[in-house]
Amino acid sequence: MHPMLNIAVRAARAAGNVITRGYENRDDLDIQKKGSQDYVTKIDKEAELTIINKIQQSYPDHAFVGEEGGRVEGNSDFTWVIDPLDGTSNFIAGIPHFAVSIALLYKGKVDQAVVFDPIRGELFACSKGSGAQLNGYRLRCTKAKDLNNTIIATALPFRNKANFDEELTRFTRVVKDAGDFRRSGSAALDLAYVAAGRYDGYFEKGLKAWDMAAGELLVKESGGLVTDYAGNNDPLYDELKSPGSANGLVAGNPRVVQNIVKRLK
């Protein structure tokens, strides 16, 4: 395992311990509202600090961008992009489907990625150019040639209802030709499941950099493709350059992505 990936794994597991303890005592979460249907708990914040502190022990000069405000300037070409608890609404409701997401960017490109599900003990990890793994076993995207009989993951814009009708139209175009769909509440796990061949494809608009960074590399390293809604490469780069500018994200094997993009257009 790459040394930096090894540190990311240790940080993810340490955050996972914080999350599982909090999950067992959800009566004391100190829930705060960040926006419409957007919440943060003290566990999100504690997990993020745990990740940053763990990584800084080995790489004190690296920069950090965390969902819960954990922005730290660095003196190197490395930046860690962190979502300490992707799926907070599930966590609050007691639905056991959420994950820690950690990505390391080198000169703006994702180089290492970890998505850790602390409830199931599933660790999705990869280094650029070395393939993706789940608990040590190699991952591959599915080989579906079209949308027929596929399982497609997505999410409707529950936080921004102004775009609901537009996204519902797009959703209908895709799902009516697919076999089935899933809406899990965790973008990081949706992308990891695409990499693992559990889902054939995934699309969603309104994702932030920390939602997609680790999952994007997992999909690519499992033989998949990641584009925006127009079929352009690297929506993560657009989001990092100008937050809120990414034109959605589509992931899956190349043929599935092509079929989804065709309908989204």
Side-chain angles (χ1 to χ4, degrees):
M1 184 180 291
H2 190 286
M4 290 184 176
L5 182 60
N6 189 39
I7 295 300
V9 168
R10 292 181 186 178
R13 291 193 182 280
N17 289 336
V18 171
I19 292 168
T20 52
R21 288 197 301 270
Y23 188 69
E24 293 168 357
N25 186 27
R26 293 195 313 284
D27 292 333
D28 184 29
L29 293 180
D30 187 21
I31 301 169
Q32 300 173 19
K33 192 171 184 178
K34 296 192 293 182
S36 177
Q37 299 300 314
D38 191 7
Y39 301 94
V40 62
T41 72
K42 69 177 185 179
I43 301 301
D44 296 69
K45 297 176 181 179
E46 185 180 344
E48 184 166 289
L49 286 174
T50 297
I51 293 168
I52 293 174
N53 291 338
K54 195 76 172 177
I55 294 172
Q56 282 184 325
Q57 292 174 12
S58 299
Y59 305 110
D61 60 335
H62 287 192
F64 294 84
V65 177
E67 180 181 9
E68 308 311 336
R71 183 176 289 273
V72 179
E73 299 299 326
N75 296 308
S76 74
D77 292 323
F78 294 96
T79 300
W80 297 85
V81 180
I82 302 163
D83 192 338
L85 179 50
D86 186 61
T88 299
S89 294
N90 285 346
F91 176 80
I92 293 171
I95 300 169
H97 191 80
F98 40 79
V100 180
S101 178
I102 303 174
L104 174 62
L105 276 60
Y106 176 66
K107 294 184 177 180
K109 298 291 184 180
V110 185
D111 192 67
Q112 312 291 330
V114 173
V115 173
F116 178 52
D117 179 342
I119 299 299
R120 298 178 180 87
E122 292 191 327
L123 181 78
F124 303 84
C126 66
S127 298
K128 187 176 181 179
S130 299
Q133 296 186 341
L134 166 56
N135 292 346
Y137 292 92
R138 183 66 184 268
L139 298 181
R140 299 298 299 177
C141 287
T142 67
K143 297 180 180 180
K145 296 180 180 180
D146 52 40
L147 294 186
N148 188 38
N149 297 321
T150 56
I151 295 179
I152 305 297
T154 188
L156 292 170
F158 63 96
R159 290 175 184 165
N160 185 3
K161 297 297 177 66
N163 298 325
F164 190 87
D165 290 342
E166 179 183 357
E167 289 304 306
L168 184 59
T169 299
R170 287 184 170 129
F171 168 83
T172 302
R173 288 177 187 156
V174 176
V175 174
K176 73 177 183 179
D177 292 329
D180 203 347
F181 77 96
R182 299 289 183 270
R183 193 270 186 258
S184 78
S186 171
L189 283 177
D190 284 342
L191 287 164
Y193 280 22
V194 170
R198 296 173 178 175
Y199 296 157
D200 296 284
Y202 165 70
F203 69 98
E204 185 172 351
K205 200 162 190 177
L207 296 176
K208 304 299 184 183
W210 43 76
D211 296 317
M212 66 176 91
E216 177 183 289
L217 187 61
L218 285 168
V219 171
K220 290 178 178 178
E221 288 297 320
S222 65
L225 179 67
V226 178
T227 74
D228 66 11
Y229 276 20
N232 300 315
N233 291 329
D234 212 350
L236 175 61
Y237 174 79
D238 293 335
E239 184 62 25
L240 288 168
K241 182 175 63 175
S242 177
S245 67
N247 182 26
L249 179 146
V250 185
N253 78 51
R255 290 192 177 184
V256 167
V257 169
Q258 182 182 28
N259 275 278
I260 293 176
V261 167
K262 180 180 178 181
R263 288 157 178 80
L264 292 176
K265 285 182 177 181

